Amino acid sequence: MAEEKPKNIKSFSEKNPLLSKVVFIVSAALCLTPLLSPPIALLLGLILAQTTGHPFRQYNHKATQILLQVSVVGLGFGMNCMAVIHAGKEGIMFSAVSIITTLLLGYLLGRLFKIDPKTSHLISSGTAICGGSAIAAIAKVLNTEEKQTSVALGTIFILNSVALFIFPPIGHALHLSQHQFGIWAAIAIHDTSSVVGAASKYGAEALQIATTVKLVRALWIVPLAIATSILFKQGAKKIKIPYFIIFFIFAMLIGSYLTSYVPWLSVIIPYLTLAAKSGLTLTLFLIGAGSSYKMMKSVGYKPLLQGVLLWIFISITALWAVESILK
């Protein structure tokens, strides 16, 4: 039965192309309203991927990438510069320790489970830094095969989706403050989209802190890519730097200081941040809708076990740290 599922999905899209497009467009439009939260948008996308299919799949990856970056920049307009700097300082300390220990543990688990070294390194990189973005960057450095990249992406995607749903309830159950949850989510949830989605559900302060710390964390892609090229002896490779973080900083500076000199900015900034949050919800819907059955199926139990153990490790240690240090 499992082998027939992708055929059924393809058959529906081919036999009912207009209906598939209408369902998809209506669902996407709902994501731009307050009716759908980020986790529900992701779930809706996953359901559509397995039923009516994605009629615009060929554009999904690029659209998701651009929409996520634009939404993150839009969130910057509503953030306070001094609070962001403070959160960034804390994020640097937590990030450095957690990234190094996660990569080391990932290497040991890969050796223990006899996982392909490149696949293992991709999973460790995605867990340590920023999920799919880190995997995509490191995969280029390693010149990985499609299957190696798909296994890593599938592993991270499964865990990332689970995290989006369970982190806010866990945070409330443990009575974590907005500050604590923001740091914890930024460190323990893989992708930037799910970090922001979970934090926005928890509260405004958590969203501000989580976004900042995650973007600071994303900058580690550059040194990791350089180290990877040396360790795997890949030679000089072009490293993709996340330049949109610079635009995020500009947006934050405008929202923090320029409003005093340009009063009309105070009027439009709330609408910009609201649009950014809606854009993020739509991003998560597209991520779910673009989930490939082939990619999910390619994940074996050993890579998934490595990903789960790394995720549990980073989640528990980060939680202990924020509860012990950030009281």
Side-chain angles (χ1 to χ4, degrees), residues 19-314:
L19 178 59
S20 178
K21 289 178 181 179
V22 169
V23 171
F24 184 88
I25 292 171
V26 171
S27 300
L30 284 173
C31 294
L32 298 176
T33 71
L35 296 175
L36 296 182
S37 65
I40 299 302
L42 176 65
L43 180 61
L44 178 60
L46 286 168
I47 292 173
L48 260 60
Q50 311 308 319
T51 54
T52 61
H54 192 333
F56 311 106
R57 184 178 293 277
Q58 66 270 33
Y59 308 111
N60 196 75
H61 177 71
K62 193 67 177 178
T64 301
Q65 188 179 45
I66 294 173
L67 188 57
L68 173 61
Q69 293 178 359
V70 171
S71 298
V72 169
V73 171
L75 290 174
F77 286 106
M79 296 187 178
N80 179 272
C81 188
M82 295 310 297
V84 165
I85 291 173
H86 178 67
K89 288 179 179 178
E90 291 181 335
I92 290 174
M93 176 187 67
F94 283 109
S95 293
V97 175
S98 63
I99 287 172
I100 293 171
T101 52
T102 300
L103 290 171
L104 288 174
L105 180 60
Y107 171 76
L108 294 174
L109 289 174
R111 293 289 298 271
L112 177 65
F113 298 145
K114 295 181 172 58
I115 300 171
D116 168 68
K118 289 186 178 181
T119 302
S120 175
H121 186 63
L122 289 177
I123 293 171
S124 301
S125 301
T127 304
I129 300 181
C130 54
S133 299
I135 290 173
I138 301 303
K140 288 183 179 180
V141 174
L142 290 176
N143 285 326
T144 57
E145 298 175 2
E146 182 182 353
K147 183 177 181 180
Q148 293 170 318
T149 307
S150 295
V151 168
L153 286 172
T155 301
I156 294 302
F157 176 78
I158 292 170
L159 301 179
N160 201 50
S161 301
V162 173
L164 179 60
F165 286 96
I166 69 172
F167 265 58
I170 291 175
H172 287 301
L174 296 176
H175 307 290
L176 296 182
S177 67
Q178 297 274 322
H179 190 184
Q180 289 174 319
F181 184 85
I183 297 286
W184 182 46
I187 293 174
I189 301 179
H190 307 84
D191 279 325
T192 303
S193 55
S194 288
V195 168
V196 179
S200 64
K201 190 172 178 62
Y202 205 79
E205 183 184 350
L207 173 62
Q208 178 170 288
I209 292 169
T211 304
T212 305
V213 174
K214 194 63 179 179
L215 294 183
V216 169
R217 196 176 182 84
L219 294 174
W220 282 78
I221 289 177
V222 178
L224 177 60
I226 295 171
T228 297
S229 66
I230 295 172
L231 291 173
F232 284 81
K233 299 179 180 179
Q234 294 295 312
K237 299 287 180 180
K238 185 177 180 181
I239 300 169
K240 189 175 181 181
I241 301 172
Y243 289 109
F244 77 96
I245 297 176
I246 297 174
F247 293 105
F248 168 80
I249 295 172
F250 280 133
M252 178 188 64
L253 292 172
I254 290 171
S256 298
Y257 301 112
L258 202 57
T259 51
S260 302
Y261 304 98
V262 187
W264 57 267
L265 281 174
S266 301
V267 178
I268 68 168
I269 280 178
Y271 293 101
L272 288 175
T273 54
L274 181 62
K277 290 178 181 179
S278 298
L280 175 70
T281 304
L282 179 58
T283 300
L284 287 164
F285 166 75
L286 293 177
I287 289 173
S291 61
S292 165
Y293 181 79
K294 179 182 177 182
M295 179 185 74
M296 302 288 282
K297 185 182 175 183
S298 69
V299 179
Y301 78 92
K302 286 185 177 181
L304 184 59
L305 182 58
Q306 179 191 7
V308 169
L309 292 176
L310 281 177
W311 185 43
I312 291 174
F313 166 76
I314 197 171

